[in-house]
Amino acid sequence: MTTQTTAPDAASTPATAPSGLIGIPPQIGRALATGGGILTVISTFLAWTWTSAFPGDLTVYGYPGGLQVLVLIGGALTTLFALASYGVKGLGWLVPAGADGAIKFAALATFATAWYTVIAISTNLGGVVNLEPGGYLVAIGSLAALLGALALPFEHPEADPIDPDDTSWEHFKHRAAHRWTTVKAAFASGTARPVGKLPSYVEILIIVAVLALGLFVFTYGIGTEYDELFIGFLLTAGFGFAALNKSGLIAQASQITARHQNITVCGAFVAAAAFPFTQTDDQYATLGVYILVFATVALGLNIVVGLAGLLDLGYVAFLGVGAYAAAMVSGSPSSPFHVHFPFWAAALVGAAASLVFGVLIGAPTLRLRGDYLAIVTLGFGEIFRITANNLDGTSGPDITNGSNGISSIPNLDILGFDFGAIHNILGFEIGRFANYFFLMLVITAVVVLVFRRSGDSRIGRAWVAIREDETAALAMGINGFRVKLIAFAVGASLAGLAGTVQAHVTYTVTPEQYLFAGPIPPNSAFLLAAVVLGGMGTIGGPLIGASLLFLIPNKLQFLGDYQLFAFGIALILLMRFRPEGLIPNRRRQLEFHEDAEAPTVLTKAGA
């Protein structure tokens, strides 16, 4: 049986409990947060403005729309977390790790989205006079909820009083006694909730619900029709994720998915395959297929950076090698070879070409370490782009057609299935980009399989050993050069495989598509950021990180010159408050958080 200690709720908070930031007693703050959340929910069923000129038509009574839906979600979360903190029967499962932190972030999500909407209405329409009663009510309600949340105490895990570097028997006894004292205190105060292992079918249903929620959030975010709605979506989703994480729901879902990894992976691909059926045209399926290409390449880079610990700043060049090699043998009139291989052969050519380049570049350079290796790989990325730009028949042999690239790459035709035509599947019309989305999904599945099998293999353990301490690994008999060269070659071939699909999706392959850095991915800087921000050494981390890093810049293009500035601020904040990544492994959590070993989830032996 697992015992989970949570933050004190209203029933167990003593009268002398510390206040939050604004000095209001916690009991009053909790009531204020609850009332503010309820008022916010009510306000979403009222009109916020009198004219439909503001995007989303917020003039309708009784039916939330546009940004009102996001505020409704935030207000509902705030209310539910606040009620759970009172010990309302049936809501305890919402806050296995405590309610106060979850209330803070849920109220912040509600306040940020609500006040952004109110300010946007006033700015776009010419003053607060354009607000209807619902607009004033949501401003007051969300502010009240935020003030109440800030009045709640900030509970931090109690630090272990023993020196963490001490490995003596006395240290072990003191640590065990300290943790058991924490468990007993939690039971005595009523803040510990025994949670038994759920039946397998219940856990599988939870996995299905989590994947369905993920599909809904992704579909909603990619399908936002106007800029204000996407900004509201970012605010609600970002702070809402933090609220769920503080409540402990994310940790519990992670434990459940870890117990059913195969079901989770298969379910994730089924959910991804359902995405094109949620779209009415190819507008957003276009973004979907580009996101899959970017995410697949990021997962290949994760082998090099996340598992082997090799800092590669020119990885996008391998994507370009695969794309150019496939384009040259796929029947393009711009190709100097004038051949048309079937897709499976073109894919093998692209992967093999990247593999060869990975070995040729890695063999003389992988004896370097750290910053020196990073500089060499950065140079390789630039050399590839410049070389492809000069092989135009003037500065060099006519192979890549220079800056014009290889154009007019024909659509794929596999077993009579034309990827450039519209097909009817189960009553749904699937267009060109949706066809390539399914193909890229199969490629992604292959890359995930390679990553899982290699990561769990003997060579994968050798990669991790090299990443953690290369000197110690060499002393234990690991051939460091051979192990790193294999990682470089495998990562390069996976990038080349994704490049074969990218060449057919974009019709044209040019050197400018493979820069080190630029406003729109894929490029080496964004690929590395996707791996680091998503979570190095994991499968889901780079996939989610790449999805966010591709989607957000595309949606923030209306900011113009300030796009990268806003994006950079967001990255800085994310790395400040979650340096281990969005989906980290346990090792990186312990590295980046000194209090990660504090007893938030304790297990009693023999229970």
Side-chain angles (χ1 to χ4, degrees), residues 37 101 139 200 251 297 317 394 406 478 495 515:
S200 296
V297 178
T394 302
I406 299 178
I478 295 177
L515 300 171

Side-chain angles (χ1 to χ4, degrees), residues 495-518:
L497 185 62
T500 61
V501 180
Q502 186 207 27
H504 291 85
V505 171
T506 58
Y507 286 123
T508 302
V509 180
T510 60
E512 287 72 22
Q513 295 175 346
Y514 309 105
L515 300 171
F516 167 72

Side-chain angles (χ1 to χ4, degrees), residues 28-369:
I28 298 178
R30 188 169 282 106
L32 196 60
T34 307
I38 294 174
L39 285 180
T40 301
V41 171
I42 294 174
S43 70
T44 60
F45 292 89
L46 305 175
W48 288 7
T49 183
W50 62 273
T51 173
S52 59
F54 188 81
D57 192 4
L58 306 182
T59 64
V60 182
Y61 282 84
Y63 187 81
L67 286 160
Q68 288 176 325
V69 175
L70 300 174
V71 176
L72 173 61
I73 294 173
L77 280 178
T78 304
T79 304
L80 289 174
F81 287 141
L83 292 176
S85 70
Y86 280 107
V88 175
K89 187 176 181 180
L91 295 180
W93 63 272
L94 282 172
V95 286
D100 289 352
I103 294 173
K104 289 183 178 70
F105 280 103
L108 184 57
T110 307
F111 173 82
T113 308
W115 277 72
Y116 165 74
T117 306
V118 170
I119 293 173
I121 291 175
S122 303
T123 302
N124 292 353
L125 301 182
V128 296
V129 68
N130 293 283
L131 294 176
E132 286 289 296
Y136 294 106
L137 184 61
V138 73
I140 296 173
S142 59
L143 178 60
L146 180 62
L147 293 176
L150 294 178
L152 299 178
F154 285 84
E155 297 291 338
H156 297 285
E158 183 180 354
D160 196 329
I162 309 301
D163 182 6
D165 295 329
D166 187 4
T167 59
S168 64
W169 172 248
E170 289 298 322
H171 163 76
F172 173 79
K173 291 195 298 182
H174 281 295
R175 176 180 285 273
H178 174 68
R179 292 193 172 185
W180 178 237
T181 301
T182 305
V183 173
K184 291 192 295 183
F187 273 111
S189 63
T191 60
R193 299 186 178 96
V195 180
K197 185 178 179 180
L198 297 173
S200 296
Y201 73 91
V202 176
E203 293 188 339
I204 293 174
L205 289 177
I206 292 176
I207 293 174
V208 172
V210 170
L211 293 176
L213 178 62
L215 176 62
F216 171 78
V217 172
F218 177 77
T219 303
Y220 188 92
I222 204 173
T224 49
E225 299 177 351
Y226 47 94
D227 303 333
E228 292 84 355
L229 184 60
F230 183 72
I231 293 178
F233 167 76
L234 286 182
L235 294 173
T236 303
F239 291 120
F241 176 83
L244 295 176
N245 184 52
K246 282 291 185 180
S247 71
L249 289 177
I250 299 295
Q252 282 202 344
S254 299
Q255 293 175 3
I256 292 174
T257 55
R259 287 196 290 267
H260 305 277
Q261 289 187 0
N262 293 332
I263 294 177
T264 302
V265 172
C266 293
F269 280 102
V270 170
F275 167 72
F277 296 101
T278 65
Q279 308 300 311
T280 56
D281 54 42
D282 252 10
Q283 179 182 2
Y284 300 119
T286 305
L287 284 178
V289 68
Y290 285 129
I291 287 174
L292 273 184
V293 171
F294 187 31
T296 303
V297 178
L299 191 58
L301 178 61
N302 197 25
I303 293 179
V304 180
V305 177
L307 293 183
L310 306 174
L311 184 55
D312 189 348
L313 298 182
Y315 187 76
V316 75
F318 297 122
L319 176 68
V321 170
Y324 265 102
M328 290 178 183
V329 297
S330 294
S332 169
S334 303
S335 171
F337 300 112
H338 304 293
V339 294
H340 192 171
F341 288 4
F343 173 70
W344 64 267
L348 290 178
V349 169
S354 296
L355 174 65
V356 170
F357 270 83
V359 173
L360 292 178
I361 298 301
T365 62
L366 285 178
R367 299 188 187 277
L368 302 174
R369 298 187 187 183

